[in-house]
Amino acid sequence: MSILATQPKRCKFATAWQRYVNRLKESMNIQHSEIKAAGGKGELLRIAIIGAGMSGILTAIKLREAGYTNFTIYEKADRLGGTWRENTYPGLSCDVPSHLYRYSFEPNPNWSKLFSPGQEIWEYFDGVAKKYDVASSIEYNKEVTKSEYKNGKWYLETADGGRDTVDFVIAATGVLHHPVFPDIDGLGSFEGPCFHSAQWDHNASLEGKRVGIIGTGSTAIQIVPAIIDEVEKVSLFQRTPQWVLPLPNPEFSDEEKQAFRNSPELMEDVYCQARDQFSGSFSEAVIGDKTQMEEIGALCQGNLETVQDPELREKLTPNYQAMCKRLIMSNDFYPAIQKPNADVVTEGIERIEAGGVRTRDGVLHELDVLVIATGFDGHAFTGPMNIIGRNGTSLEETWANGKEAYRSVAVPDFPNFFLLCGPNSPIGNFSLILISEMQVDYVMQLMDLVRDGTYREVAATKDATDRFNADIKEAMKGTIWVSGCKSWYIDKHGNAAMWPWSFQKFVEDMKQPLLEEFELNH
Ligand code: NAP
């Protein structure tokens, strides 16, 4: 059905949401000159933003709009775009609808599909960065290695020997960009091209080749259909099968794109609908809404039954609940994996050899190319930077028993330091952009206390942080992520990296800081 034919639904969280949008719009309408006249101290405070991905670009835009003009974005790579720069594998696309996966203040009428391809998303961020002149504030190839708080300032060091002294550090370092390689014997001994999905070797031709893929996460499930018709054979090495939600990905017609161009209201409606559909279904299901959970489970089960061969269907049948792992959305994985040149290998991997992958039954699966689609360390956050707080304790030491923050954005004893998309930020299958926008808005309210001259130092209290994290642990018990599966969500301490409550609670929590939960020093 055309998206234009759907009736705009009333937003479930209209009131809170509208307040939030109004605030954003108000802040956008204020001219720099007015801000300077009103506050005037924004340019005196120096800010380091670490990372030029989605959150870093956003922070720069928001800071400048609010009159904070003295900032630098430190980016370790030579291009912006974060995860959308790193991942270039065939089939890469987003599983959040395009019209929701964008900055709320920068709608895009030109998305080609309901779920956009990765390159288009990268181009979107690049375009926004150019439009808002963010690029001029980015220092590329500047990896921050150390940041230490002393006497009210943060002292930064970069890998190339650079130094900076700033009042605030905002870590916009992203969630999924530290590739994880499997601990399999002989990984380095494969003779052909062998690379992680996030380090795709575009010089390695796949045409007519025997390609092995290790892993069956969102990434592998997108790669298989994208390459199946080009290669001689795909061998998918599966340790755990995945539930797959059928989701069509139609192209937007020229007529629809024109309608979006003509009507910003229509784009707002679509944004609003997508947000409510996602927050009302997936995000509720994962935190324990049984009806939603069952509906999604039934859709996945129905999809699985489209696999004709009972033996293959059996191999692809998970023994845990749908959504326990990150839910995969795909309309083309099952058709692709049923093609005669696809093979699902469920026998465990013994080792990797020069000529291929040897499984525990002694069989050598001969390959020309090997793709490692084993995911990311979703708990690395600011790593490997050495961030040292006011007591001389590093963030790594502080987080030795688990990565905990106050409302995902602040850490006790790390004053004037904020995280975007920090611990427990992700809301089930939801757009991180919206999450990040609310976090930036929240963080800037804290920064304003320093700009206004009310305080010099802002840090979350330990009590409030401990209470928040105890609440998280309690709420997590009712979520699907801890219902009995292994996933990147869960860290080595058994803590899930997700937000265990509703989207609405996130909106409420991020509206305004509770100042009694902060240590505010003059
Ligand atoms: P992932 O979901 O963490 O999947 C990693 C896969 O590698 C799993 O199937 C895992 O098996 C397997 N694996 C790990 N170590 C292994 C070993 N030693 N031997 C055999 N198999 C091994 O990683 P991903 O697919 O890259 O996705 C990560 C996340 O990125 C997603 O959950 C999603 O949040 C995001 N992402 C999103 C999109 C999108 O928007 N469409 C696309 C790609 C990625 P087990 O299950 O047995 O551990």
Side-chain angles (χ1 to χ4, degrees), residues 27-98:
S27 75
M28 288 190 67
N29 288 337
I30 300 173
Q31 298 302 310
H32 281 204
S33 54
E34 290 174 40
I35 292 164
K36 281 187 182 162
K41 283 196 254 163
E43 74 267 27
L44 298 180
L45 294 172
R46 175 134 182 85
I47 303 149
I49 303 168
I50 306 179
M54 174 278 287
S55 299
I57 295 167
L58 168 72
T59 307
I61 294 170
K62 294 278 131 203
L63 285 180
R64 199 174 285 143
E65 278 167 7
Y68 291 94
T69 53
N70 186 5
F71 61 82
T72 295
I73 306 181
Y74 289 99
E75 169 54 57
K76 67 180 176 190
D78 59 0
R79 285 195 318 152
L80 53 72
T83 192
W84 301 105
R85 173 199 62 227
E86 305 279 299
N87 284 285
T88 59
Y89 62 77
L92 171 68
S93 87
C94 188
D95 58 7
V96 176
S98 313

Side-chain angles (χ1 to χ4, degrees), residues 337-358:
I337 204 70
Q338 292 181 79
K339 294 201 172 183
N341 61 336
D343 186 18
V344 178
V345 181
T346 54
E347 192 67 38
I349 298 173
E350 176 72 34
R351 62 178 177 273
I352 293 167
E353 300 179 3
V357 171
R358 191 171 298 275

Side-chain angles (χ1 to χ4, degrees), residues 89 93-95 176 182-184 214-220 222 239-240 242 325-326 349 373-376 486 488:
Y89 62 77
S93 87
C94 188
D95 58 7
L176 297 168
D183 185 15
I184 299 175
I214 300 180
T216 49
S218 307
T219 300
Q222 291 184 340
R239 190 165 67 178
T240 314
Q242 291 270 9
K325 287 173 181 277
R326 165 86 176 197
I349 298 173
T374 47
F376 304 88
K486 206 170 142 256
W488 70 260

Side-chain angles (χ1 to χ4, degrees), residues 273-428:
Q273 279 182 53
R275 189 194 64 232
D276 285 359
Q277 277 164 9
F278 265 60
S279 61
S281 56
F282 303 119
S283 309
E284 290 294 321
V286 288
I287 58 168
D289 182 325
K290 291 223 165 5
T291 311
Q292 294 292 346
M293 220 186 261
E294 280 165 15
E295 269 179 31
I296 291 166
L299 283 168
C300 291
Q301 181 65 43
N303 195 27
L304 179 65
E305 280 159 20
T306 64
V307 176
Q308 300 295 309
D309 174 16
E311 202 180 314
L312 177 60
R313 194 164 61 239
E314 180 64 28
K315 279 185 180 179
L316 295 172
T317 303
N319 63 357
Y320 55 88
Q321 277 181 283
M323 302 197 81
C324 184
K325 287 173 181 277
R326 165 86 176 197
L327 186 62
I328 290 174
M329 304 180 193
S330 171
N331 253 21
D332 48 15
F333 173 66
Y334 287 149
I337 204 70
Q338 292 181 79
K339 294 201 172 183
N341 61 336
D343 186 18
V344 178
V345 181
T346 54
E347 192 67 38
I349 298 173
E350 176 72 34
R351 62 178 177 273
I352 293 167
E353 300 179 3
V357 171
R358 191 171 298 275
T359 45
R360 290 202 192 112
D361 53 3
V363 173
L364 176 68
H365 301 263
E366 289 183 47
L367 302 168
D368 304 305
V369 179
L370 181 57
V371 178
I372 310 293
T374 47
F376 304 88
D377 177 0
H379 305 267
F381 297 109
T382 52
M385 274 185 293
N386 184 17
I387 298 177
I388 303 167
R390 68 177 160 203
N391 296 341
T393 308
S394 71
L395 197 50
E396 202 185 343
E397 287 161 336
T398 306
W399 278 348
N401 296 319
K403 302 203 164 158
E404 297 185 341
Y406 171 76
R407 295 198 180 193
S408 309
V409 299
V411 184
D413 291 321
F414 290 78
N416 301 353
F417 169 81
F418 301 107
L419 298 146
L420 300 177
C421 300
N424 303 101
S425 290
I427 302 176

